[in-house]
Structures are given as structure tokens and as C-alpha cells.
Amino acid sequence: MFYHYNIFKTKTTIANMQNVVLFGPPNSGKGTLAEKLEVELDIVPFSTGNMLRRLERAGDPHIIKLQEIYSNQGRLIPDQDMIGLVERELQKEIYQNGVIFDGFPRTEPQAMAFDKTGIPYEVLFVDAPDEVLISRASMRRACLPCNKSYHLVNLPPKVEGHCDKCESELIQRPDDLKIVERIATYREDTAPLEDYYFSKLGKVDASIDPETTFLQAIKYLTE
Ligand code: AMP
């Protein structure tokens, strides 16, 4: 069904670089891990969620509609839209030395479309129990302009309610209010990827502190 898409034209330029796919439930800490891996491995994170929020803020009418109908309700953006958006984003020069995929692929059709490109990659399963995910969602505050996330207790901003970096007002993301729905969506659409990636899956425990998660990830990626 997806074979007719002419996707991922970047194949030839990033095929020999290191690419890492972070896969796991919402709020498991993929974004934080991606930031740490970027520093360690010198490869650029690409969060599909951040891309959608950036396009929404820029006023793209199609994305605004998709966010309203799907993301803000805890559902996934349709595969056809997502694959096209990812393909377009990956044309950018910054990704040419390798990519840490944070939040893509998130369905089997996306994974199959990605595999059709022949781009090599490793997969880390970043997992945490539901109660941890729900607690993190209620505690997270986000700065939309610079995509930085805070935790009210573990990583509070220096000035309450404002981003350390750009001083913008912090918000609770609409989809964090739908964490229960997002977990259900994850179980239905994304968790089957655990079987899909079975033979190449490195598991990291994301229920603990970010540093320990990071060390587990590095151990797997460099072994
Ligand atoms: P995230 O910031 O990764 O938690 O993503 C926020 C929301 O964006 C998700 O709950 C989805 O609605 C949407 N989204 C992000 N990545 C994808 C994807 N690969 N496929 C479909 N929807 C996505």
C-alpha cells in the first residue's frame, strides 16, 4: 500500500552515517535521551512531534488542522501525511551526518516505508511503566518556541512558569492532558513495532534517572 510513495530521497546521502531510532511510549524520555545522544555521538535529533508543533506555530493551515483532529486528541497523524512530512524534513542539510529519530517510525506502515529506503539504523526501545508516563505528563511544562521541556519537580525552570533559555511562558501541552488516550494509541498502533524490530531491538529502562538511561543506551550503541 505504501510502495508507490516516492519517499526518503535522502537515502544516498545519509545511508553510510549512524542513524538511531528511538521508539517507546509517550513521555518515556525519548527527547531527553536524544539530546544526550546528540552531544555524545554528534548526530542530530529529529523529533516529529517538535516538527509538527513548529509547523503549527508557523501557521501552516494543514498542520493546524491535523494537530487539532489528531495530536491534541491523543491520536496519531495519518501515515500518508507523516511520511511526506518526514521526507521533506530530511532533505535539510543538518541531517546529512546521521539522525536520531525521536518519534518516527510510530506505526508498522511507517516502519515499512522507512525500511524500503535501505537507510541503516539501530533501534532503542525506551520503555517505562504507565504510572511513570502519566506522572511525567502531569508534571511536564513545555516551551514551544525552543522545544525545551521542564519537570515541575525534577527539572524546574529557574523562574517559575518561564523558560530558562528564551523566557517565554511555559505551557502544559494539550496532548499531555490526553496522556491516557496517547498510551492507548501507543498500545494499539506503536507497540506492535516491538515485534517488528525484535531482532535489532536494544532495550533501555527509562523509568529511572535520565543519566542511567543514557549510559544504558550508549553501552548498547557502542558494543
Ligand atoms: P511527541 O512530541 O513525539 O510526543 O508527538 C506528539 C504528537 O505528534 C503525537 O502524539 C502524535 O499525535 C504526533 N506524531 C508525532 N510523531 C508521529 C508519527 N511518527 N506518526 C504519527 N503521529 C505522530
Side-chain angles (χ1 to χ4, degrees):
M1 141 188 201
F2 284 83
Y3 290 72
H4 62 278
Y5 295 129
N6 180 19
I7 63 159
F8 301 118
K9 296 186 200 81
T10 44
K11 178 180 169 179
T12 47
T13 40
I14 67 172
N16 297 321
M17 307 299 172
Q18 185 173 21
N19 301 290
V20 181
V21 167
L22 301 182
F23 137 74
N27 289 81
S28 63
K30 297 186 291 297
T32 306
L33 179 58
E35 280 174 20
K36 286 174 171 285
L37 290 175
E38 176 184 20
V39 176
E40 183 72 21
L41 304 174
D42 200 22
I43 45 180
V44 177
F46 167 30
S47 154
T48 40
N50 283 348
M51 172 187 68
L52 291 166
R53 288 183 287 275
R54 190 186 71 231
L55 295 170
E56 182 185 17
R57 278 172 53 78
D60 182 320
H62 182 57
I63 304 294
I64 290 173
K65 206 164 141 203
L66 290 176
Q67 289 285 82
E68 224 171 82
I69 300 173
Y70 299 103
S71 303
N72 294 352
Q73 310 306 323
R75 298 163 62 201
L76 294 183
I77 301 285
D79 288 324
Q80 191 172 342
D81 289 292
M82 208 59 222
I83 290 167
L85 286 163
V86 168
E87 178 203 2
R88 203 177 67 186
E89 178 74 12
L90 288 179
Q91 307 293 327
K92 292 183 181 169
E93 190 63 35
I94 50 162
Y95 298 116
Q96 305 313 308
N97 287 333
V99 184
I100 301 165
F101 291 90
D102 165 8
F104 183 90
R106 233 166 169 129
T107 63
E108 249 177 48
Q110 290 178 16
M112 285 161 67
F114 190 45
D115 279 346
K116 273 213 81 194
T117 67
I119 295 173
Y121 60 89
E122 293 178 82
V123 192
L124 283 176
F125 180 23
V126 186
D127 199 17
D130 287 3
E131 60 270 22
V132 173
L133 309 173
I134 292 168
S135 156
R136 282 184 190 159
S138 71
M139 292 288 181
R140 177 158 68 181
R141 295 296 178 271
C143 172
L144 292 184
C146 57
N147 288 321
K148 201 169 158 45
S149 282
Y150 297 86
H151 185 284
L152 290 181
V153 176
N154 299 340
L155 188 64
K158 290 192 184 98
V159 177
E160 195 185 328
H162 292 273
C163 178
D164 293 351
K165 229 165 115 185
C166 71
E167 297 179 3
S168 296
E169 203 167 327
L170 301 179
I171 60 142
Q172 191 165 21
R173 275 171 38 183
D175 57 337
D176 277 344
L177 299 170
K178 297 278 180 186
I179 185 65
V180 174
E181 289 83 348
R182 286 167 75 205
I183 292 172
T185 300
Y186 170 78
R187 299 259 173 268
E188 173 92 12
D189 298 328
T190 311
L193 289 182
E194 204 180 331
D195 286 338
Y196 183 90
Y197 286 132
F198 179 70
S199 59
K200 58 190 306 184
L201 202 64
K203 283 195 183 190
V204 296
D205 178 359
S207 64
I208 31 173
D209 65 295
E211 190 58 24
T212 311
T213 310
F214 165 69
L215 292 174
Q216 286 180 6
I218 284 297
K219 187 164 182 280
Y220 176 80
L221 291 173
T222 54
E223 249 170 18

